[in-house]
Amino acid sequence: MRCLVFMLLLLFWAHSVCAQIVDYSADLVEQEDSLRTLSIKPVRKPKKLLRQVMNRLQLDLKQKHGERKYKIEAMLCIDTFPSFSANCICRVCGDNGLEIIDVTKDVSDIKIEDICFKGPYGLTDQDSVNIKCILVDFLNFSPICSSRYFYARPYPYSPIGAYEAERWFNVKAYKITYGSDDSIYRIDFIKNKNSRFRYGDRVGWFGDFSFTAFFDCRTLRITRYKGESYDWDNAFPLYSSDFQVDYEVDNGAPILNQLQYVGTFNNIKGNALVRRIE
């Protein structure tokens, strides 16, 4: 009887081991299949590709879109005051979808709805105006360096489109293919640490910077843009920014869909999320 029980236990153990081996083998096959369909190839002439996507961006900047709403949510800390949260809804219309807010305009011209504040103290009228300006600043993003982009405070200057960028950054590009239909270009901007500001430069990138932009291979339209930047003084951050912007296509042209930001600018520490709600 004991021998029979032992044989049954042995058969059950062997079956379990075989099942685990089969499952593990299936996982390996799936991993091999996924690796087999993923292809990453460097682009031989990255600056030529950069010029092509720049031309596409210039055309997309001329597009006009209908009304949309964005919700801006942020956790903020100003100077030494306790942190607080604030959010609002921003209504935009007639923009190009890539540069949502014309920051050269007064904030009173921007349609803000349902502003909400949660903190340990009350707000004066001036505090409300200041917080409103800060929230709108998080929407002041452009994937391309333009004249009005200089006013945007939370984000560093974009190297895309700035002629100085060819000297300040090393540009590398890759074609990433997953399957037969999904292909994107990835363009990396890696800071050249030997760069120096020259007379005539409109933009300078002082500190540590890295940027990455993604473009659809078929349309050359931007799909994602992200960057990191840091500037330190005696181990204290003067400026830091870590952001990612995602775009989607609307009526054949890209528009900002979601923006995530963590960083420090001026005397403000912020953690913000901007997302399209309509």
Side-chain angles (χ1 to χ4, degrees):
M1 184 66 179
R2 291 181 179 177
C3 183
L4 178 61
V5 171
F6 175 76
M7 291 297 295
L8 289 173
L9 290 173
L10 182 62
L11 288 172
F12 177 77
W13 175 81
H15 175 74
S16 299
V17 171
C18 290
Q20 291 177 3
I21 293 174
V22 170
D23 291 342
Y24 181 67
S25 300
D27 290 340
L28 285 178
V29 170
E30 288 183 4
Q31 292 177 11
E32 288 176 359
D33 287 342
S34 63
L35 290 174
R36 208 175 283 128
T37 58
L38 178 64
S39 171
I40 304 176
K41 297 181 180 180
V43 176
R44 293 184 178 180
K45 297 180 179 180
K47 292 184 179 180
K48 179 180 179 181
L49 174 62
L50 182 58
R51 288 192 294 270
Q52 291 174 338
V53 298
M54 268 295 304
N55 292 335
R56 179 70 265 174
L57 274 170
Q58 292 291 351
L59 292 175
D60 290 334
L61 285 168
K62 298 177 182 179
Q63 299 290 326
K64 296 296 180 182
H65 294 272
E67 185 174 275
R68 305 185 310 285
K69 287 184 179 180
Y70 289 92
K71 185 168 186 180
I72 307 171
E73 303 170 284
M75 179 67 70
L76 303 169
C77 181
I78 303 175
D79 289 332
T80 58
F81 291 97
S83 60
F84 61 91
S85 65
N87 63 78
C88 70
I89 293 176
C90 183
R91 187 189 297 268
V92 297
C93 182
D95 64 305
N96 57 41
L98 298 173
E99 296 174 320
I100 306 300
I101 299 296
D102 186 347
V103 296
T104 61
K105 293 184 178 180
D106 187 85
V107 69
S108 60
D109 296 332
I110 300 170
K111 298 177 181 178
I112 300 294
E113 303 174 355
D114 302 331
I115 187 166
C116 180
F117 166 85
K118 293 182 180 180
Y121 51 86
L123 292 180
T124 66
D125 291 340
Q126 186 58 48
D127 289 335
S128 298
V129 172
N130 292 338
I131 291 174
K132 182 179 177 181
C133 292
I134 293 170
L135 290 175
V136 170
D137 270 340
F138 288 117
L139 201 51
N140 291 339
F141 180 80
S142 170
I144 182 172
C145 191
S146 63
S147 59
R148 66 182 183 180
Y149 185 47
F150 284 75
Y151 294 87
R153 289 179 289 177
Y155 309 103
Y157 301 141
S158 171
I160 303 177
Y163 72 89
E164 299 92 343
E166 291 190 4
R167 181 163 45 83
W168 286 81
F169 292 90
N170 294 317
V171 180
K172 295 184 178 180
Y174 304 89
K175 183 177 182 180
I176 303 174
T177 303
Y178 186 80
S180 58
D181 298 327
D182 300 324
S183 297
I184 59 172
Y185 286 119
R186 168 178 171 163
I187 302 180
D188 294 332
F189 298 85
I190 304 168
K191 174 75 180 298
N192 183 355
K193 297 186 181 298
N194 296 323
S195 297
R196 297 291 184 271
F197 197 83
R198 293 180 182 177
Y199 178 76
D201 284 355
R202 300 170 300 165
V203 183
W205 291 267
F206 301 101
D208 296 324
F209 291 86
S210 65
F211 301 93
T212 302
F214 297 86
F215 300 87
D216 183 272
C217 284
R218 289 173 294 184
T219 64
L220 296 183
R221 286 195 162 101
I222 191 166
T223 60
R224 174 173 292 179
Y225 184 67
K226 60 182 182 178
E228 296 181 10
S229 60
Y230 304 91
D231 196 0
W232 299 81
D233 181 22
N234 297 325
F236 290 98
L238 294 176
Y239 173 94
S240 66
S241 179
D242 187 343
F243 64 88
Q244 177 174 305
V245 188
D246 293 294
Y247 301 90
E248 65 179 16
V249 175
D250 180 54
N251 292 327
I255 60 170
L256 188 149
N257 187 49
Q258 180 172 287
L259 185 155
Q260 296 171 289
Y261 169 89
V262 178
T264 302
F265 64 103
N266 295 336
N267 60 336
I268 304 168
K269 293 181 179 179
N271 184 333
L273 172 65
V274 178
R275 55 190 176 90
R276 182 187 177 193
I277 58 176
E278 285 187 11

